Structures are given as structure tokens and as C-alpha cells.
Coordinates of all heavy atoms in Angstrom, one line a residue:
I1249 N 107.2 83.5 92.1 CA 106.0 83.0 91.3 C 106.3 83.5 89.9 O 106.6 84.6 89.6 CB 104.8 83.8 91.9 CG1 104.5 83.3 93.3 CG2 103.6 83.4 91.0 CD1 104.1 81.9 93.5
N1250 N 106.1 82.4 89.0 CA 106.2 82.7 87.5 C 104.9 83.3 87.1 O 103.9 82.6 87.0 CB 106.5 81.4 86.8 CG 106.8 81.7 85.3 OD1 106.3 82.7 84.7 ND2 107.6 80.8 84.7
V1251 N 104.9 84.6 86.6 CA 103.7 85.3 86.3 C 103.1 84.7 85.0 O 101.9 84.9 84.7 CB 103.9 86.8 86.1 CG1 104.3 87.4 87.4 CG2 105.0 87.0 84.9
N1252 N 103.9 84.0 84.2 CA 103.4 83.4 82.9 C 102.6 82.1 83.1 O 101.9 81.7 82.2 CB 104.6 83.1 82.0 CG 105.2 84.4 81.5 OD1 104.6 85.4 81.2 ND2 106.5 84.4 81.3
T1253 N 102.7 81.5 84.3 CA 102.1 80.2 84.5 C 101.2 80.2 85.7 O 100.4 79.2 85.9 CB 103.1 79.1 84.7 OG1 104.0 79.4 85.8 CG2 104.0 79.0 83.4
A1254 N 101.3 81.2 86.6 CA 100.5 81.2 87.8 C 99.0 81.4 87.6 O 98.6 82.1 86.7 CB 101.1 82.2 88.8
D1255 N 98.2 80.8 88.5 CA 96.8 81.0 88.5 C 96.5 82.4 88.9 O 97.3 83.0 89.7 CB 96.1 80.0 89.5 CG 94.6 80.0 89.4 OD1 94.0 80.9 90.1 OD2 94.0 79.1 88.8
V1256 N 95.4 83.0 88.5 CA 95.1 84.4 88.8 C 94.9 84.6 90.3 O 95.2 85.6 90.8 CB 93.8 84.8 88.0 CG1 92.6 84.0 88.4 CG2 93.6 86.3 88.2
Q1257 N 94.4 83.5 91.0 CA 94.2 83.6 92.4 C 95.6 83.8 93.1 O 95.7 84.5 94.1 CB 93.5 82.4 93.0 CG 92.1 82.3 92.7 CD 91.4 81.1 93.2 OE1 91.3 80.0 92.5 NE2 91.1 81.1 94.5
V1258 N 96.6 83.1 92.6 CA 97.9 83.1 93.2 C 98.5 84.6 93.0 O 99.1 85.2 93.9 CB 98.9 82.1 92.6 CG1 100.2 82.3 93.2 CG2 98.3 80.7 93.0
L1259 N 98.4 85.1 91.8 CA 98.9 86.4 91.4 C 98.2 87.5 92.3 O 98.8 88.4 92.8 CB 98.8 86.6 90.0 CG 99.7 85.8 89.0 CD1 99.3 86.1 87.6 CD2 101.1 86.0 89.3
R1260 N 96.9 87.4 92.4 CA 96.1 88.4 93.2 C 96.6 88.4 94.6 O 96.6 89.5 95.3 CB 94.7 88.2 93.1 CG 94.1 88.5 91.7 CD 92.6 88.4 91.6 NE 91.9 89.3 92.5 CZ 90.6 89.5 92.5 NH1 89.8 88.7 91.8 NH2 90.1 90.4 93.3
A1261 N 97.0 87.3 95.2 CA 97.4 87.2 96.6 C 98.7 87.9 96.8 O 99.1 88.2 98.0 CB 97.5 85.7 97.0
L1262 N 99.5 88.2 95.8 CA 100.8 88.8 95.9 C 100.7 90.3 96.2 O 101.7 90.9 96.5 CB 101.6 88.6 94.7 CG 102.0 87.1 94.3 CD1 102.8 87.0 93.1 CD2 102.6 86.4 95.5
S1263 N 99.6 90.9 95.9 CA 99.5 92.4 96.1 C 98.0 92.7 96.5 O 97.0 92.3 95.9 CB 99.8 93.0 94.7 OG 99.6 94.4 94.8
T1264 N 98.0 93.6 97.5 CA 96.8 94.1 97.9 C 96.3 95.3 97.1 O 95.1 95.7 97.3 CB 96.9 94.6 99.4 OG1 97.9 95.6 99.5 CG2 97.1 93.5 100.4
S1265 N 97.1 95.7 96.2 CA 96.7 96.8 95.3 C 96.8 96.4 93.8 O 97.0 97.2 92.9 CB 97.7 98.0 95.4 OG 99.0 97.6 95.2
A1266 N 96.4 95.1 93.5 CA 96.4 94.6 92.2 C 95.3 95.3 91.4 O 94.2 95.6 91.9 CB 96.1 93.0 92.2
N1267 N 95.6 95.5 90.1 CA 94.6 96.1 89.2 C 94.0 94.9 88.5 O 94.5 94.3 87.6 CB 95.3 97.0 88.1 CG 94.3 97.7 87.2 OD1 93.4 97.1 86.7 ND2 94.5 99.0 87.0
V1268 N 92.8 94.5 89.0 CA 92.1 93.3 88.5 C 91.9 93.3 87.0 O 92.1 92.2 86.4 CB 90.8 93.1 89.3 CG1 90.1 91.9 88.8 CG2 91.0 93.0 90.7
G1269 N 91.5 94.4 86.5 CA 91.2 94.4 85.0 C 92.5 94.2 84.2 O 92.5 93.4 83.3
K1270 N 93.6 94.9 84.6 CA 94.8 94.7 83.9 C 95.4 93.2 84.1 O 96.0 92.7 83.2 CB 95.8 95.7 84.3 CG 95.5 97.1 83.8 CD 96.5 98.2 84.2 CE 96.2 99.5 83.8 NZ 97.2 100.5 84.2
L1271 N 95.2 92.8 85.3 CA 95.7 91.4 85.5 C 94.9 90.4 84.7 O 95.5 89.5 84.1 CB 95.5 91.0 87.1 CG 96.1 89.7 87.5 CD1 97.5 89.6 87.2 CD2 95.8 89.5 89.0
E1272 N 93.6 90.4 84.6 CA 92.8 89.5 83.9 C 93.2 89.7 82.4 O 93.1 88.7 81.6 CB 91.3 89.8 84.1 CG 90.9 89.4 85.5 CD 89.4 89.6 85.7 OE1 88.7 90.2 84.8 OE2 88.9 89.0 86.7
Q1273 N 93.4 90.9 81.9 CA 93.8 91.1 80.5 C 95.2 90.4 80.2 O 95.4 89.7 79.2 CB 94.0 92.6 80.2 CG 94.3 92.9 78.8 CD 94.4 94.3 78.5 OE1 94.3 95.2 79.4 NE2 94.7 94.7 77.2
F1274 N 96.1 90.5 81.1 CA 97.4 89.8 81.0 C 97.2 88.3 80.9 O 97.8 87.6 80.1 CB 98.4 90.1 82.1 CG 99.6 89.3 82.1 CD1 100.6 89.6 81.1 CD2 99.8 88.3 83.0 CE1 101.8 88.8 81.2 CE2 101.0 87.5 83.0 CZ 102.0 87.8 82.0

């Protein structure tokens, strides 16, 4: 998965320990 182009839903699905705040900031 390309992190620069993926939808936030796709990125969140890659990790059960995602930091939602930092992910949304990115």
C-alpha cells in the first residue's frame, strides 16, 4: 500500500494499533 495515496480507511485497516490522530495529521 502506498501511504502517500491510500485512503485513510485502507491505512487504518493495516494496523490494529494505529494512532488515529497522527494518521489524520499525515
